[in-house]
Amino acid sequence: MQKTVVINVVGLTKRLIGKHTPFIKSFLEKGKFAYVTPVLPAVTCTAQSTYLTGKYPSEHGIVGNGWYFKDECEVKFWRQSNKLVQGEKLWEKLKKKNPNFSCANMFWWYNMYANTDFNVTPRPNYLADGRKIPDVYSHPAQLRDILQKELGTFPLFQFWGPKTSIKSSQWIADASIRTDELYDPTLTLIYLPHLDYNLQRHGLNFEIIAKDLIEIDTVVQQLVDHYQKKNAKVVLLSEYGITNVDRPIHLNRRLRKEGLLNIRMERGLELLDAGASKAFAVADHQIAHIYLNDLSVKSKVKELLERIPGVEKVLSDTALEDARLAHHRCGDLVVVADARSWFTYYFWLDDAKAPDYARMVDIHKKPGYDPVEMLTDPKDKLVVPKVIGKLLKKKLGFRTVMNIIPLEAELVSGSHGRIPEDKEDYPIFITDGNCLKDTHLKPTEVFRILEEQITQF
């Protein structure tokens, strides 16, 4: 089999390739290129699962980065077990063809307990005193210790949150190279999230994101140089393109005002009571799943949502089937934003009653995706001293919370999830292999192209 590496450069589109990405531009010009029609929703977990199974969400079940677990009456995002992905994965099919095939999964999602040969993924330690300690999970277990001994602790706080930087993608790249040196897997899947950060913060503002493009171009060159020396075929792939937005839409607040969404009070703060609500939204960038505990309000809710400025369409019934989203995990309705809009998870009407997690980086407690976690209040000139003070308190053993995230959704300038109008904002597939024949791919065809590239040897 042909040794292959798939480098997932998150957010990379044809529009972004140019003077700030000289290596990627050269790689494109020397290789073969195709636009990938985005899967709906065009979000991380759905796109990756589609690429790795060759199936749509209606079959593999990953309808978003999170969904409402109906049997538990809880919204959960960023789960990690690979058992959630239904269907045969690429590495499973290839292993059947050749028992000597091996696969390393370096930070692609649903990484834990996959039957890959080697894998590494973020897995913080949550201590009893409230601290969150950066760490990773790996298989084999000793790989974690080898990597963190040689490369330092995984920079979790540069992977997500206000301090995001190239350091996390650089660590993943270095860890991938070291894993390749140790085990020489046939297929390596590498996740580089760096472009995701400032593209969501600032949108397609090239004066700001030029630095990010230069940084990721350097990391990609490092990886490609390593793998080409190992006679590997290289694929540069992305999951979605990020486009400019300027209008956050608070669907849960609208549902609450109509008496459809319930909250409960705890310590004077409000929490979403999903199980007791007639209807509520699970927001995920420019897509929102609407779950109905009372199906009699379905028509009312659909009409209400369709009237909200910024809502492009509301999918139900056969429209969900046509979109390949008809799965029991999916909402009863799926709302798609227009090009300039995105959905928040906000359900409170008074910021003074917002839950404590709203002002924190807390991806597992929030009942929806929150890009504002990457930002601090630009009007708060004392935010850096506040952070330093809180960190000192934690080190001294005092309980404290990092409540530095603003409740200002208007700060977000870039989003994704819907299908963009312009193909220049589509995800892309670039390779130095010879299996790519078309210039446009369906998202499910990525599976087939990768299979052919690996088995042609």
PDB file of all heavy atoms in Angstrom, residues 411-427:
ATOM      1  N   LEU A 411     -19.176  40.405  18.546  1.00  0.00           N
ATOM      2  CA  LEU A 411     -17.722  40.427  18.347  1.00  0.00           C
ATOM      3  C   LEU A 411     -17.257  39.419  17.298  1.00  0.00           C
ATOM      4  O   LEU A 411     -16.167  39.535  16.759  1.00  0.00           O
ATOM      5  CB  LEU A 411     -17.014  40.142  19.670  1.00  0.00           C
ATOM      6  CG  LEU A 411     -17.170  41.198  20.773  1.00  0.00           C
ATOM      7  CD1 LEU A 411     -16.569  40.687  22.083  1.00  0.00           C
ATOM      8  CD2 LEU A 411     -16.509  42.510  20.369  1.00  0.00           C
ATOM      9  N   VAL A 412     -18.072  38.407  17.026  1.00  0.00           N
ATOM     10  CA  VAL A 412     -17.702  37.356  16.069  1.00  0.00           C
ATOM     11  C   VAL A 412     -17.895  37.866  14.641  1.00  0.00           C
ATOM     12  O   VAL A 412     -18.946  38.412  14.309  1.00  0.00           O
ATOM     13  CB  VAL A 412     -18.545  36.094  16.305  1.00  0.00           C
ATOM     14  CG1 VAL A 412     -18.285  35.052  15.226  1.00  0.00           C
ATOM     15  CG2 VAL A 412     -18.248  35.527  17.684  1.00  0.00           C
ATOM     16  N   SER A 413     -16.881  37.669  13.792  1.00  0.00           N
ATOM     17  CA  SER A 413     -16.945  38.192  12.422  1.00  0.00           C
ATOM     18  C   SER A 413     -16.881  37.127  11.338  1.00  0.00           C
ATOM     19  O   SER A 413     -16.958  37.455  10.153  1.00  0.00           O
ATOM     20  CB  SER A 413     -15.804  39.197  12.203  1.00  0.00           C
ATOM     21  OG  SER A 413     -15.967  40.330  13.034  1.00  0.00           O
ATOM     22  N   GLY A 414     -16.686  35.858  11.716  1.00  0.00           N
ATOM     23  CA  GLY A 414     -16.632  34.797  10.718  1.00  0.00           C
ATOM     24  C   GLY A 414     -17.349  33.554  11.200  1.00  0.00           C
ATOM     25  O   GLY A 414     -17.350  33.256  12.395  1.00  0.00           O
ATOM     26  N   SER A 415     -17.992  32.824  10.276  1.00  0.00           N
ATOM     27  CA  SER A 415     -18.690  31.603  10.673  1.00  0.00           C
ATOM     28  C   SER A 415     -18.764  30.644   9.486  1.00  0.00           C
ATOM     29  O   SER A 415     -18.312  30.950   8.377  1.00  0.00           O
ATOM     30  CB  SER A 415     -20.096  31.936  11.193  1.00  0.00           C
ATOM     31  OG  SER A 415     -20.680  30.803  11.819  1.00  0.00           O
ATOM     32  N   HIS A 416     -19.361  29.483   9.724  1.00  0.00           N
ATOM     33  CA  HIS A 416     -19.499  28.452   8.696  1.00  0.00           C
ATOM     34  C   HIS A 416     -20.632  27.518   9.097  1.00  0.00           C
ATOM     35  O   HIS A 416     -21.223  27.661  10.167  1.00  0.00           O
ATOM     36  CB  HIS A 416     -18.192  27.672   8.533  1.00  0.00           C
ATOM     37  CG  HIS A 416     -17.720  27.002   9.792  1.00  0.00           C
ATOM     38  ND1 HIS A 416     -18.039  25.706  10.113  1.00  0.00           N
ATOM     39  CD2 HIS A 416     -16.963  27.452  10.820  1.00  0.00           C
ATOM     40  CE1 HIS A 416     -17.486  25.390  11.275  1.00  0.00           C
ATOM     41  NE2 HIS A 416     -16.829  26.428  11.733  1.00  0.00           N
ATOM     42  N   GLY A 417     -20.933  26.559   8.264  1.00  0.00           N
ATOM     43  CA  GLY A 417     -21.994  25.596   8.560  1.00  0.00           C
ATOM     44  C   GLY A 417     -22.990  25.452   7.430  1.00  0.00           C
ATOM     45  O   GLY A 417     -23.457  24.353   7.127  1.00  0.00           O
ATOM     46  N   ARG A 418     -23.346  26.575   6.798  1.00  0.00           N
ATOM     47  CA  ARG A 418     -24.218  26.544   5.620  1.00  0.00           C
ATOM     48  C   ARG A 418     -23.362  26.278   4.380  1.00  0.00           C
ATOM     49  O   ARG A 418     -22.137  26.212   4.462  1.00  0.00           O
ATOM     50  CB  ARG A 418     -24.978  27.863   5.483  1.00  0.00           C
ATOM     51  CG  ARG A 418     -24.048  29.036   5.180  1.00  0.00           C
ATOM     52  CD  ARG A 418     -24.741  30.376   5.349  1.00  0.00           C
ATOM     53  NE  ARG A 418     -25.832  30.543   4.408  1.00  0.00           N
ATOM     54  CZ  ARG A 418     -25.678  30.976   3.148  1.00  0.00           C
ATOM     55  NH1 ARG A 418     -24.464  31.256   2.689  1.00  0.00           N
ATOM     56  NH2 ARG A 418     -26.712  31.125   2.356  1.00  0.00           N
ATOM     57  N   ILE A 419     -23.993  26.126   3.230  1.00  0.00           N
ATOM     58  CA  ILE A 419     -23.268  25.942   1.976  1.00  0.00           C
ATOM     59  C   ILE A 419     -23.048  27.323   1.360  1.00  0.00           C
ATOM     60  O   ILE A 419     -24.018  28.000   1.000  1.00  0.00           O
ATOM     61  CB  ILE A 419     -24.051  25.044   0.996  1.00  0.00           C
ATOM     62  CG1 ILE A 419     -24.496  23.748   1.680  1.00  0.00           C
ATOM     63  CG2 ILE A 419     -23.206  24.767  -0.242  1.00  0.00           C
ATOM     64  CD1 ILE A 419     -23.379  22.906   2.222  1.00  0.00           C
ATOM     65  N   PRO A 420     -21.803  27.770   1.255  1.00  0.00           N
ATOM     66  CA  PRO A 420     -21.557  29.115   0.708  1.00  0.00           C
ATOM     67  C   PRO A 420     -21.991  29.236  -0.750  1.00  0.00           C
ATOM     68  O   PRO A 420     -22.037  28.247  -1.495  1.00  0.00           O
ATOM     69  CB  PRO A 420     -20.038  29.281   0.833  1.00  0.00           C
ATOM     70  CG  PRO A 420     -19.602  28.231   1.799  1.00  0.00           C
ATOM     71  CD  PRO A 420     -20.558  27.106   1.645  1.00  0.00           C
ATOM     72  N   GLU A 421     -22.296  30.462  -1.155  1.00  0.00           N
ATOM     73  CA  GLU A 421     -22.698  30.700  -2.550  1.00  0.00           C
ATOM     74  C   GLU A 421     -21.521  30.565  -3.509  1.00  0.00           C
ATOM     75  O   GLU A 421     -21.672  30.129  -4.650  1.00  0.00           O
ATOM     76  CB  GLU A 421     -23.309  32.104  -2.691  1.00  0.00           C
ATOM     77  CG  GLU A 421     -24.719  32.242  -2.154  1.00  0.00           C
ATOM     78  CD  GLU A 421     -24.776  32.370  -0.642  1.00  0.00           C
ATOM     79  OE1 GLU A 421     -23.708  32.543  -0.016  1.00  0.00           O
ATOM     80  OE2 GLU A 421     -25.891  32.303  -0.090  1.00  0.00           O
ATOM     81  N   ASP A 422     -20.330  30.959  -3.063  1.00  0.00           N
ATOM     82  CA  ASP A 422     -19.160  31.010  -3.923  1.00  0.00           C
ATOM     83  C   ASP A 422     -18.267  29.795  -3.664  1.00  0.00           C
ATOM     84  O   ASP A 422     -17.865  29.542  -2.522  1.00  0.00           O
ATOM     85  CB  ASP A 422     -18.380  32.299  -3.646  1.00  0.00           C
ATOM     86  CG  ASP A 422     -17.329  32.603  -4.698  1.00  0.00           C
ATOM     87  OD1 ASP A 422     -16.808  31.653  -5.324  1.00  0.00           O
ATOM     88  OD2 ASP A 422     -17.009  33.795  -4.883  1.00  0.00           O
ATOM     89  N   LYS A 423     -17.936  29.056  -4.710  1.00  0.00           N
ATOM     90  CA  LYS A 423     -17.097  27.859  -4.546  1.00  0.00           C
ATOM     91  C   LYS A 423     -15.697  28.206  -4.037  1.00  0.00           C
ATOM     92  O   LYS A 423     -14.984  27.325  -3.530  1.00  0.00           O
ATOM     93  CB  LYS A 423     -17.002  27.080  -5.854  1.00  0.00           C
ATOM     94  CG  LYS A 423     -16.268  27.802  -6.965  1.00  0.00           C
ATOM     95  CD  LYS A 423     -16.257  26.969  -8.240  1.00  0.00           C
ATOM     96  CE  LYS A 423     -15.495  27.701  -9.351  1.00  0.00           C
ATOM     97  NZ  LYS A 423     -15.503  26.919 -10.610  1.00  0.00           N
ATOM     98  N   GLU A 424     -15.282  29.473  -4.140  1.00  0.00           N
ATOM     99  CA  GLU A 424     -13.988  29.881  -3.596  1.00  0.00           C
ATOM    100  C   GLU A 424     -13.970  29.762  -2.073  1.00  0.00           C
ATOM    101  O   GLU A 424     -12.901  29.814  -1.458  1.00  0.00           O
ATOM    102  CB  GLU A 424     -13.656  31.317  -4.012  1.00  0.00           C
ATOM    103  CG  GLU A 424     -13.470  31.502  -5.505  1.00  0.00           C
ATOM    104  CD  GLU A 424     -12.327  30.661  -6.070  1.00  0.00           C
ATOM    105  OE1 GLU A 424     -11.166  31.010  -5.799  1.00  0.00           O
ATOM    106  OE2 GLU A 424     -12.604  29.663  -6.773  1.00  0.00           O
ATOM    107  N   ASP A 425     -15.148  29.606  -1.468  1.00  0.00           N
ATOM    108  CA  ASP A 425     -15.266  29.413  -0.025  1.00  0.00           C
ATOM    109  C   ASP A 425     -15.578  27.964   0.338  1.00  0.00           C
ATOM    110  O   ASP A 425     -15.905  27.672   1.491  1.00  0.00           O
ATOM    111  CB  ASP A 425     -16.354  30.347   0.535  1.00  0.00           C
ATOM    112  CG  ASP A 425     -16.031  31.807   0.316  1.00  0.00           C
ATOM    113  OD1 ASP A 425     -14.906  32.210   0.665  1.00  0.00           O
ATOM    114  OD2 ASP A 425     -16.888  32.545  -0.209  1.00  0.00           O
ATOM    115  N   TYR A 426     -15.480  27.058  -0.640  1.00  0.00           N
ATOM    116  CA  TYR A 426     -15.673  25.635  -0.380  1.00  0.00           C
ATOM    117  C   TYR A 426     -14.390  25.039   0.229  1.00  0.00           C
ATOM    118  O   TYR A 426     -13.290  25.552   0.011  1.00  0.00           O
ATOM    119  CB  TYR A 426     -15.952  24.894  -1.683  1.00  0.00           C
ATOM    120  CG  TYR A 426     -17.378  24.951  -2.178  1.00  0.00           C
ATOM    121  CD1 TYR A 426     -18.277  25.919  -1.732  1.00  0.00           C
ATOM    122  CD2 TYR A 426     -17.829  24.030  -3.115  1.00  0.00           C
ATOM    123  CE1 TYR A 426     -19.583  25.969  -2.208  1.00  0.00           C
ATOM    124  CE2 TYR A 426     -19.132  24.065  -3.590  1.00  0.00           C
ATOM    125  CZ  TYR A 426     -19.998  25.038  -3.140  1.00  0.00           C
ATOM    126  OH  TYR A 426     -21.284  25.071  -3.603  1.00  0.00           O
ATOM    127  N   PRO A 427     -14.511  23.935   0.949  1.00  0.00           N
ATOM    128  CA  PRO A 427     -13.309  23.185   1.325  1.00  0.00           C
ATOM    129  C   PRO A 427     -12.619  22.651   0.081  1.00  0.00           C
ATOM    130  O   PRO A 427     -13.221  22.581  -1.004  1.00  0.00           O
ATOM    131  CB  PRO A 427     -13.853  22.061   2.204  1.00  0.00           C
ATOM    132  CG  PRO A 427     -15.296  21.946   1.862  1.00  0.00           C
ATOM    133  CD  PRO A 427     -15.746  23.310   1.442  1.00  0.00           C
TER     134      PRO A 427
END
